Amino acid sequence: MAYHKVHAEQRAQGHSPYLDSDDLQATALDLEWDMEKELEEPGFDHFRLDSAAQHPLGNSQSPDLDLEPIQPSTSPKGRFQRLQEDPDYISHYMRQAPKSNRCNFCQMFKVLCTVLIVFILGILIGYYGHKKCLPSSTPPEPNNLPVYQEILKEIKAENIQQTYRDLLQFPREDDTDVALKILARWTSHGLEDVQLANYSVLLDLPGSSSNTVTLKKSSECFYPSGQQCKRETKELRSQDLLYSYAAYSAKGTLEAELVDVQYGTVEDLVRIQAITDVTKKIALLKLGQSPLLYKLSLLEDAGFGGALLYVDPCDWPGTAELAEKAFMVALNGGGDPSTPGSPSSDGIYRRNRSNLTTLLVQPVSAVLVKKLISLPEDSIRKDRCVPLELPATDKKIISLNIRSVTTYKTISNVIGYLKGAVFPDRYVIIGSHHNGLNSYGGQEWASSTAVITALIEAVMLKAKRGWRPDRTMVFCSWGGTSFGNIGSYEWAEGLKRVLQRNVVAYISLHNPVRGNSTLQPIASPSLQQLAVESQSFNCMEKTKCPGSNVSSVQIQGDSDYFINHLGVPAMQFSYEDVKTSENSSFLHEALFPVHPTKTEELDPSFRLHETIAKLTGQVTLRIASEPVLPFNALDIALEVQNRLKGNFCDHVDAQQLLAVASRLRDTAELFQSDEMRPANDPKERAPIRVRMLNDVLQSLEKSFIVRQAPPGLYRNILYRLDERTSQFSVLLEALEHCKLHQSNETIQAALSEVLNSINSAQVYFKAGLDVFETALAGKK
């Protein structure tokens, strides 16, 4: 069979150390050519049946977490059903017995015996053949369910917990040392072609002594944690003191008045600027409501010289003890600051960028803020939390001293491949991250690494018995995440052209258990329905797992480059605490020092980790193995229309936008329905047609990347800013800019960007329809 011939050649060739686009494209073309020739052979139907059995789909079931089977949707909004084979394919092999011209009695007796024997054999063969082939006429998911059960049932909470504890035994070492140990563990599980990708990047690290904040009036000196500056403390060189800083902040000393700007919104700045001159002053700024980089850009434009960052304890109920501590933030939008847009490889020009902002920025604890604003203990209400605020009549002069230093360090990524059997040049990327360089972030990196390692172990146990996904699975552990997703950016920038064409989806495992109250799935619009279907676990008694709370909000972690530069559909499952404050969004930007037992306190049995691993494994295996990608075009159009609702339309003339969005929905509905039916039509099951359809599906979201977005906001406009907002974030920012600068130039530019994106998507969907209509007309 051509199918087996192609894969024998692939195994002989082995794997290249990097993703070679030309080789992969040639492999795909050879596969399609051989499969096209196979269509002309009489035994092709039998080949398809075997192929379907080799690449099963479905959900896992386990005695602890009852994973129910998912039935394929038959509505236009649903998924393309599995390509089922004609149950009476055996008729192609039936032959009539040759007739004899001369028949004597013996010959007739022999013929009758032969016919009788053939008849009996036919009955036996037909019975067992029908029994064996019966699943081909049943719904595809139950037929393929056992293979998914076999893979996912191997993921066990106790194994994840053991891996987690093993990872924490690593001493605080360089990034490369931690990466090498992860590589060795993945290799021991049988993952093929595991590589280490090293990059020399510019990092901003603590200096020899801690940053300080000094009250000018009393000359009291404080560390960011709130401790008073003492000689013995300085000599201690405590990590908590050194690593309470903002990476890539401006350096030096600034003495100025402290101005309370609360959350640094446009309304806050308009109010403050109306009563005082803020030039070169220091802003007292709360994290929350919007991205830190965006708020700092507003402060910089307003003329501030520095900023003290803190988390208000009222915004983080349940984890108020963290708000009492200092923390680390990174002021890096992504990648190595010295090589923006390019990988940090030998020969690449490097810029001298010791800081990425003109502001002197320092994170401090809520304890220090209370001391700076002279909040008396008896003013604290016991019955309710009172947000911190600097009294308007209280004028504070402080001196801010920043001593961090920039230096080049090596960070490493661990990349492992499981080659696909049908579409080896299409990649499903599963990403976690590891920790090094003594940076903050607690122990959540060990949770992330333990979960992806458990998934690798389960998948490779099945692969060792001959199973392969249809598409290549790429497992990644990124380095340098806490400094601005540096590892993922550098790897993706070096392979940008290959990834633009070949990546199908990105599944994130960044900080999978950050609470234990509720499951929080995040998915890009084309994957939302898949995320909803995948939430079929019976959750633990003390947790909440709503089945329809999937949202498209900005995702933290290394999915950033794939979403905003490649337009790749992304998904992430995580457990979080219930957010009772509307200001609690974007608090995850603060990296706190967390005690090693914190994760085990949140999930002592590691059942939540197991749930995340199985959910992630389920969606990954479906995307990697379904013949037609489980993406939804209509959901994208509906998401666009929802973005144009609400008060937004009251501020701008959105009639043209609404008209284009309506056309996009109409085209998406046609695409969803007209291309689903041919995909399920036995006459239209040519592999080349399936490949064409998948090529259209994997690029559905690429049209929605705008050329430029404000710092901290996504370039992919399909993602909302947070749960509280439903409109396009770039348009909301433009409206705020209009209020701040009394100019509508920005809003007009943003409207043009959004209009062009929606129109481009509509043209793309229409072109996809035209391609298939032309193909059908040619066949007729």
Side-chain angles (χ1 to χ4, degrees), residues 1 213 223 229 424 483 508 605 629 686-687 754:
M1 304 299 287
V213 178
Y223 294 124
C229 301
F483 289 92
S508 174
S605 66
L629 289 171
V754 173

Side-chain angles (χ1 to χ4, degrees), residues 28 56 184 190 208 235 260 320 421 513 537 635 718 726 763 768:
S208 57
E235 294 173 352
D260 190 353
V513 179
F537 286 110
D635 282 353
L718 290 176
S726 59
V763 171

Side-chain angles (χ1 to χ4, degrees), residues 38 51 82 146 202 273 379 414 432 466 601 604 642 728 759-760 767:
E38 198 65 42
S51 176
R82 271 299 180 97
L202 185 67
Q273 287 181 302
S379 67
V414 186
S432 66
E601 291 173 3
N642 289 334
F728 288 109
N759 189 62
S760 296

Side-chain angles (χ1 to χ4, degrees), residues 345-378:
S345 306
D346 294 339
I348 298 295
Y349 171 73
R350 295 179 182 271
R351 301 183 186 181
N352 183 17
R353 304 180 74 186
S354 60
N355 54 271
L356 301 179
T357 177
T358 60
L359 299 173
L360 274 74
V361 182
Q362 176 59 52
V364 296
S365 68
V367 172
L368 178 55
V369 173
K370 292 175 183 178
K371 292 180 179 180
L372 293 178
I373 66 177
S374 303
L375 183 66
E377 290 294 328
D378 56 3

